[in-house]
Amino acid sequence: MDLTEFGAHLEELQAGEKSKDDVILRALRDINPSSKHFSGAIALLTRKPFDDIGVGKKSLRKLATTCFDVTHDELRDLEREYGDLPSAIGHVDLKTNTLTLKRKITLGELYDDLEYLRRTSGPEQKRRMKEMLGYDSPKWVAHAMLGKKGVSLGVGEKSVVKTLAIENGYDEHRKLLSLNPDVTTLCHKLTSPDTDPRSEPGVGHPFLPMLAKSKEVPPDPDGDWMIQPKYDGARILVHIKNGELRRAFSRNANRVDESLPELREFVDDVFATGDWILDGEAIPYKDGERQPFQAIMTRFGRQEAVDEQEIDVEFKFFDLVYGGGVCATYPGDLSNETASRRIHLLRVLFGPEQEYVAPTYRPDTHEKLNEYYQSFLDDGLEGAVVKHVDAPYEFDRRSPNWRKMIPTKENVELRITAVHEGENSNAGKVGGMKLETEDGVPVGHVGGGMEGHSGIPWEERDDIIDKIVEVSWRELQENDDGTYALRFPSLEGFRADKDEADSLDKILSA
DNA sequence: CGCGCCCTGTGGGGCCAAAAT
DNA sequence: ATTTTGGCCCCACAGGGCGCG
């Protein structure tokens, strides 16, 4: 199976006329599941495995102008016309290379090339990318290099896994993906008769954690709901083997133990034995004071070992996914136990060290629930998470059994001072707007929201400059250099009736 | 048959590292 | 030396497709 041939299947998905399940199954039918070709096919379909290799649209655009007879602006025009960068590149290629016979590559070769791009960077990466754009066909080469920023197929890792799982007689496909977050390996296992994917959590094996639903009405507490604080930090899943830290993972199953050296000290202090998987939050502190969310980000993605910390990190754990290796009370996988049982076991496990456990209450009236929630807000916390006492641990699911309680967002009126163009399906439309208060203080940008997608044509961009928009937001961030930005902004609508924005003071006092 | 859920794909801020300028 | 770029963490929101009551 070469890339040109496989590209025909991808074209069908992009056109979106036929059943996606059928296309996926037909595309993979003749590929040996244990081969590298299969890995390449999965990468092209899901766009996940190579989403992080360091190739983005801006650098690919620039490279394309050196490989093909096209200027940057012409390329942007073609993107508007054909909907995305790979399609634009494919079109340029057809126009300019009608005579030369291009080398066809197999999906396995493409996979090796992508692995090479991951290992390299800078000029060497660029050199190989240039070579790859010479293959047949460059559209799908570009798609593979861009990962999630490639062609919008309307198919992602979940659809592909679901299709393959059903076809091969597995149910609970979402749980399978959560427990096997490496989508390539999972697809190999789903389609090979002699191997089964992981179906239970295990120490050392990453998984995608349970998530809380937002914008859900707080439940009527009848004794069946628990409330815990919501901390403004980073999610961590801590895996402990024989009482020692094995690994820790982020919400998206990336390794984070190197970024949080105090995790090892914490585990050494608290645990003597047993196998555990803890679910919790890493929270930034400094001199005993809670720090804004950005402080925790100084820890991630660091190359040098984090030894001299500018900030402290504290841990609060709110669930126990796995407990084993000590006694019959902890049988191993706890995900099918009730939430109240898991939290009970978590408390027992920590014994006298309860400061590491998120405080958990079980109010029986709405008034008491709100009292706890209000007390969390008074303590400067982000809000609360309300959990059903009988809920199992639902992997990778925004479950109504976990509900966020967060203060309603504030609204503010701001002036548009600049706009920028949207990407992909939003090409040729306004994608985002720069905002300012009446006193001329920039407060960041807004892009998401109802008006953002109904689409202001790019040609009409000048008409909305200086107009007033209403924007909802949760928090105003003040940076070290004195600049401000709204956190979680979204557009509520245009205020044609207004010609004045709100002042910075009004936002600060909200 | 309509509603709600799931999934994908838009958009935001700030932090990091490395490349580009 | 500074700016740009892409990836990571935290998100909000919209629309299509599909399943279920």
Side-chain angles (χ1 to χ4, degrees):
Chain A
M1 175 73 73
D2 64 44
L3 180 60
T4 317
E5 221 176 311
F6 196 79
H9 296 297
L10 298 173
E11 295 284 354
E12 284 185 53
L13 283 174
Q14 187 185 11
E17 286 154 9
K18 296 177 186 158
S19 156
K20 285 168 183 170
D21 292 3
D22 287 352
V23 181
I24 293 169
L25 290 174
R26 254 188 297 124
L28 296 174
R29 179 163 297 154
D30 298 327
I31 307 177
N32 177 356
S34 55
S35 70
K36 214 178 268 182
H37 306 297
F38 189 84
S39 305
I42 295 300
L44 284 160
L45 284 171
T46 67
R47 291 123 70 243
K48 180 68 184 300
F50 296 99
D51 194 38
D52 59 350
I53 57 176
V55 178
K57 293 175 74 169
K58 291 180 178 170
S59 39
L60 185 56
R61 238 172 236 148
K62 190 173 281 184
L63 187 69
T65 60
T66 70
C67 294
F68 303 103
D69 181 26
V70 65
T71 67
H72 188 272
D73 286 346
E74 286 165 358
L75 196 57
R76 290 304 312 238
D77 283 341
L78 289 168
E79 282 179 55
R80 288 187 199 106
E81 192 176 341
Y82 293 96
D84 55 73
L85 179 54
S87 300
I89 287 175
H91 186 262
V92 174
D93 177 59
L94 282 178
K95 267 194 123 174
T96 57
N97 284 294
T98 45
L99 294 178
T100 46
L101 195 61
K102 310 187 104 187
R103 184 160 92 83
K104 292 192 187 296
I105 59 157
T106 66
L107 297 178
E109 287 172 303
L110 176 68
Y111 187 87
D112 286 339
D113 276 327
L114 292 167
E115 280 294 347
Y116 187 79
L117 293 185
R118 188 204 295 288
R119 289 197 304 272
T120 53
S121 64
E124 178 54 23
Q125 191 189 51
K126 196 141 288 178
R127 193 195 59 73
R128 178 63 71 94
M129 283 168 64
K130 198 166 180 174
E131 203 177 302
M132 290 170 69
L133 284 179
Y135 299 154
D136 192 68
S137 56
K139 170 175 177 176
W140 297 111
V141 169
H143 172 76
M145 292 193 294
L146 286 173
K148 298 244 184 236
K149 295 169 289 294
V151 177
S152 303
L153 297 175
V155 162
E157 50 175 343
K158 286 181 181 166
S159 324
V160 172
V161 166
K162 181 181 179 181
T163 305
L164 289 182
I166 291 171
E167 177 74 7
N168 292 284
Y170 294 93
D171 42 7
E172 296 194 289
H173 56 272
R174 194 169 50 204
K175 185 176 179 186
L176 288 178
L177 181 55
S178 165
L179 293 167
N180 303 268
D182 180 331
V183 66
T184 307
T185 308
L186 174 59
C187 290
H188 279 302
K189 289 183 175 175
L190 286 173
T191 45
S192 305
D194 49 338
T195 51
D196 282 322
R198 169 168 293 277
S199 59
E200 283 182 6
V203 172
H205 299 279
F207 60 86
L208 304 177
M210 184 166 175
L211 305 166
K213 232 176 158 60
S214 49
K215 291 181 68 178
E216 197 80 359
V217 184
D220 277 331
D222 43 13
D224 287 346
W225 295 83
M226 302 177 290
I227 184 167
Q228 295 175 325
K230 185 177 190 309
Y231 299 99
D232 197 8
R235 190 82 176 262
I236 46 165
L237 291 305
V238 179
H239 294 238
I240 297 162
K241 186 78 183 173
N242 294 325
E244 286 183 10
L245 178 66
R246 177 75 186 279
R247 284 173 180 177
F249 299 96
S250 71
R251 160 169 154 41
N252 293 311
N254 292 312
R255 285 285 292 274
V256 294
D257 32 313
E258 298 295 320
S259 305
L260 303 167
E262 45 274 271
L263 251 185
R264 195 165 293 279
E265 299 164 29
F266 152 78
V267 172
D268 286 345
D269 283 354
V270 176
F271 295 86
T273 179
D275 304 335
W276 316 101
I277 302 177
L278 308 170
D279 188 355
E281 197 88 358
I283 308 153
Y285 275 81
K286 187 179 183 180
D287 305 326
E289 295 276 310
R290 216 173 3 251
Q291 296 295 301
F293 168 76
Q294 293 91 298
I296 194 71
M297 294 311 298
T298 64
R299 292 302 194 85
F300 298 133
R302 284 214 168 179
Q303 287 301 53
E304 292 165 31
V306 190
D307 50 2
E308 206 168 323
Q309 293 103 24
E310 293 109 32
I311 60 139
D312 301 323
V313 176
E314 296 202 354
F315 307 111
K316 291 283 187 187
F317 296 99
F318 45 71
D319 213 319
L320 186 63
V321 182
Y322 187 101
V326 278
C327 62
T329 312
Y330 298 100
D333 176 17
L334 298 175
S335 61
N336 292 315
E337 303 283 337
T338 64
S340 57
R341 171 82 178 150
R342 295 197 310 274
I343 287 168
H344 168 72
L345 292 176
L346 181 70
R347 282 178 166 159
V348 172
L349 170 63
F350 275 88
E353 321 270 0
Q354 291 295 310
E355 70 267 25
Y356 295 113
V357 182
T360 308
Y361 307 100
R362 195 165 167 171
D364 52 7
T365 66
H366 213 272
E367 287 68 35
K368 285 186 191 163
L369 181 91
N370 275 322
E371 273 174 37
Y372 285 121
Y373 169 60
Q374 194 57 50
S375 74
F376 296 156
L377 293 181
D378 293 344
D379 288 345
L381 295 162
E382 206 185 1
V385 182
V386 182
K387 301 182 175 178
H388 195 279
V389 291
D390 294 330
Y393 192 92
E394 299 169 80
F395 294 93
D396 192 26
R397 170 131 197 265
R398 287 206 180 277
S399 165
N401 288 324
W402 286 16
R403 304 180 186 195
K404 290 183 201 175
M405 281 179 79
I406 288 169
T408 51
K409 297 209 289 180
E410 306 280 346
N411 275 22
V412 69
E413 283 152 23
L414 295 163
R415 188 182 305 284
I416 301 167
T417 58
V419 292
H420 59 261
E421 192 181 354
E423 294 287 341
N424 289 343
S425 59
N426 279 352
K429 299 177 196 166
V430 172
M433 315 166 194
K434 193 170 188 289
L435 304 171
E436 236 176 59
T437 64
E438 189 58 31
D439 22 352
V441 180
V443 288
H445 302 76
V446 65
M450 44 182 285
E451 293 284 340
H453 291 293
S454 66
I456 299 156
W458 187 234
E459 295 76 40
E460 294 169 22
R461 59 190 178 276
D462 292 336
D463 301 344
I464 61 169
I465 301 285
D466 277 340
K467 294 285 190 298
I468 306 295
V469 283
E470 188 169 343
V471 175
S472 64
W473 53 287
R474 201 193 292 172
E475 200 179 304
L476 185 72
Q477 299 174 169
E478 185 175 1
N479 302 317
D480 288 341
D481 59 2
T483 59
Y484 295 90
L486 301 177
R487 192 179 186 200
F488 309 144
S490 71
L491 187 62
E492 296 294 320
F494 279 81
R495 296 301 302 263
D497 53 319
K498 299 270 178 137
D499 53 11
E500 258 189 39
D502 290 332
S503 66
L504 180 64
D505 282 347
K506 185 173 176 203
I507 305 177
L508 287 170
S509 62

